[in-house]
């Protein structure tokens, strides 16, 4: 009996340790306020300080333009926020809008400072939503694209109502925002959505966090990922692999441009290839050699903008 008691005690300690690991991982990654932008930047491995001058210049230009704060309600009654920039050329023959979805722990007005120079000067209006549990949008639990894709439909509908049935819409997402637009590709999108641009998207929360645990922390996925999956289903209403970009693009009908950097250690470059291979709609790929996570636009601005130009010429 002594051995059985010791074994039971050890099992109890291990179980408690496992529960503690799951709770710690879940709090740090899935809940608003605990998922810190500083930690995300550190994990991404990108040296953003080298791009500070150009980002400050473009932010000043961006904020000098007319813009307004917009609020809508999500399918589960959260108050969602976005910032809207009308097109600079009011006399443009076509009404074009880029709805841009930011990355994990960021917000709408952060990730598209650089690309605002491209879109606004090309005659596009821009809508920059804050994802649920980010920025000024409500929500306690992060959607990781799985819930955010439904929020994307809310913003698409707002644009159509605001600008009319003849508007042409592009969805552009970076990192978690990239996963959002790819996961949205499997939904029935309005005909006004002409194309999707995905920059360094992951396949699913389960797969990207498994990668992070293995490669950055040298930890096994068990029990953190299965435990977080159970918690998230109960608390946030979705599973960690319930929505996977690979499965969703297999149902896509809208053309997609895939962008990724070869030196991305946060969301591995292989994920881009995996999603691309599963994509059923017309597709193109632009790969930036040596770019780390979300760095592609700044690493090769000319090439990135050329890839956008060519893609939009085909689809708009």
């Amino acid at each position: 009996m002594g051995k059985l008691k010791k074994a039971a005690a050890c099992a109890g300690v291990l179980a408690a340790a496992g529960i503690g690991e799951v709770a710690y991982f879940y709090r740090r990654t899935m809940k608003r306020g605990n998922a810190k932008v500083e930690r995300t930047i550190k994990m991404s491995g990108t040296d953003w300080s080298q791009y500070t001058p150009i980002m400050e210049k473009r932010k000043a230009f961006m904020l000098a333009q007319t813009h307004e704060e917009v609020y809508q309600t999500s399918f589960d009654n959260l108050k969602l926020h976005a910032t809207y920039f009308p097109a600079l050329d009011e006399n443009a023959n076509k009404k074009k809008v880029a709805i841009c979805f930011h990355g994990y722990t960021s917000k709408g007005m952060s990730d598209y400072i650089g690309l605002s120079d491209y879109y606004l000067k090309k005659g596009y209006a821009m809508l920059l939503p804050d994802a649920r549990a980010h920025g000024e949008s409500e929500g306690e639990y992060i959607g990781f694209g799985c819930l955010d894709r439904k929020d994307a439909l809310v913003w698409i509908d707002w644009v159509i109502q605001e600008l009319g049935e003849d508007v042409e819409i592009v969805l552009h997402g970076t990192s978690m925002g990239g996963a959002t637009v790819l996961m949205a590709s499997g939904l029935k999108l309005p005909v006004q959505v002409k194309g999707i641009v995905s920059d360094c998207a992951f396949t699913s929360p389960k797969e990207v966090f498994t990668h992070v645990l293995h490669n950055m922390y040298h930890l096994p996925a068990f029990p953190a990922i299965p435990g977080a999956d159970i918690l998230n289903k109960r608390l946030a209403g979705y599973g960690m692999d319930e929505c996977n970009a690979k499965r969703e693009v297999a149902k896509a009908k809208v053309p997609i441009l895939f962008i990724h950097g070869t030196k991305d250690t946060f969301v591995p470059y292989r994920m881009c290839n995996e999603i691309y291979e599963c994509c059923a709609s017309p597709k193109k790929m632009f790969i930036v050699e040596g770019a780390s996570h979300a760095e592609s636009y700044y690493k090769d601005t000319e090439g990135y903008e050329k890839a956008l130009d060519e893609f939009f010429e085909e689809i708009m």
Side-chain angles (χ1 to χ4, degrees), residues 172-213:
H172 193 140
T174 301
S175 191
M176 186 181 80
T180 296
V181 297
L182 292 181
M183 291 175 183
S185 75
L187 300 174
K188 186 177 180 181
L189 297 173
V191 295
Q192 288 82 2
V193 177
K194 301 302 181 183
I196 291 173
V197 180
S198 168
D199 188 336
C200 61
F202 53 76
T203 49
S204 74
K206 175 185 176 181
E207 292 180 1
V208 75
F209 280 119
T210 296
H211 165 78
V212 168
L213 285 173

Side-chain angles (χ1 to χ4, degrees), residues 181-255:
V181 297
L182 292 181
M183 291 175 183
S185 75
L187 300 174
K188 186 177 180 181
L189 297 173
V191 295
Q192 288 82 2
V193 177
K194 301 302 181 183
I196 291 173
V197 180
S198 168
D199 188 336
C200 61
F202 53 76
T203 49
S204 74
K206 175 185 176 181
E207 292 180 1
V208 75
F209 280 119
T210 296
H211 165 78
V212 168
L213 285 173
H214 284 167
N215 291 273
M216 295 187 179
Y217 295 99
H218 307 292
L219 293 172
F222 183 86
I225 301 299
D229 183 57
I230 294 169
L231 276 178
N232 212 51
K233 285 176 181 176
R234 292 178 180 176
L235 298 174
Y238 71 95
M240 300 283 279
D241 196 54
E242 184 174 306
C243 191
N244 188 305
K246 288 184 290 188
R247 295 195 296 268
E248 295 307 309
V249 298
K251 298 178 283 185
K253 293 180 172 57
V254 175

Side-chain angles (χ1 to χ4, degrees), residues 1-223:
M1 289 296 293
K3 289 184 178 180
L4 286 175
K5 285 182 178 180
K6 286 181 180 179
C10 288
V13 170
L14 290 173
I19 292 170
E21 181 182 332
V22 169
Y24 177 72
F25 171 79
Y26 191 81
R27 284 196 305 269
R28 279 171 61 94
T29 58
M30 308 299 290
K31 291 193 69 176
R32 181 187 204 124
N34 296 328
K36 303 293 185 182
V37 65
E38 297 82 9
R39 189 163 65 242
T40 304
I41 291 174
K42 184 177 180 180
M43 287 192 298
S44 75
T46 304
D47 177 16
W48 289 108
S49 63
Q50 61 187 310
Y51 304 118
T52 298
I54 187 172
M55 292 175 75
E56 288 182 345
K57 181 180 179 181
R58 292 193 174 185
K59 186 175 184 179
F61 167 78
M62 186 181 187
L63 293 177
Q65 311 310 313
T66 300
H67 56 280
E68 63 176 301
E69 309 308 317
V70 181
Y71 296 89
Q72 292 287 288
T73 302
S74 71
F75 70 93
D76 52 353
N77 294 315
L78 295 177
K79 186 178 181 181
L80 301 176
H81 166 265
T83 306
Y84 176 64
F85 289 80
L88 298 185
D89 184 1
E90 296 180 356
N91 298 316
N93 293 326
K94 291 187 177 181
K95 293 182 287 187
K96 302 180 294 185
V97 181
I99 308 179
C100 302
F101 298 87
H102 65 77
Y104 177 56
T105 71
S106 188
K107 57 184 179 180
M109 287 294 289
S110 293
D111 286 9
Y112 288 89
I113 291 170
L115 274 161
S116 66
D117 190 76
Y118 173 84
Y119 277 121
L120 292 176
K121 291 180 179 179
K122 290 283 184 176
Y124 287 80
M126 295 183 76
L127 183 68
L128 307 176
D130 289 338
R132 57 175 53 221
H134 290 75
E136 294 184 38
S137 289
E138 292 181 342
E140 184 177 0
Y141 300 101
I142 296 171
F144 284 104
C146 300
L147 298 181
D148 306 294
R149 68 179 185 148
K150 298 179 182 179
D151 299 334
L153 295 179
V154 173
W155 292 119
I156 292 168
D157 288 343
W158 180 85
V159 167
I160 295 170
Q161 291 171 17
E162 188 74 12
L163 295 181
E165 295 288 333
D166 59 339
V167 68
E168 295 183 327
I169 299 172
V170 173
L171 307 181
H172 193 140
T174 301
S175 191
M176 186 181 80
T180 296
V181 297
L182 292 181
M183 291 175 183
S185 75
L187 300 174
K188 186 177 180 181
L189 297 173
V191 295
Q192 288 82 2
V193 177
K194 301 302 181 183
I196 291 173
V197 180
S198 168
D199 188 336
C200 61
F202 53 76
T203 49
S204 74
K206 175 185 176 181
E207 292 180 1
V208 75
F209 280 119
T210 296
H211 165 78
V212 168
L213 285 173
H214 284 167
N215 291 273
M216 295 187 179
Y217 295 99
H218 307 292
L219 293 172
F222 183 86

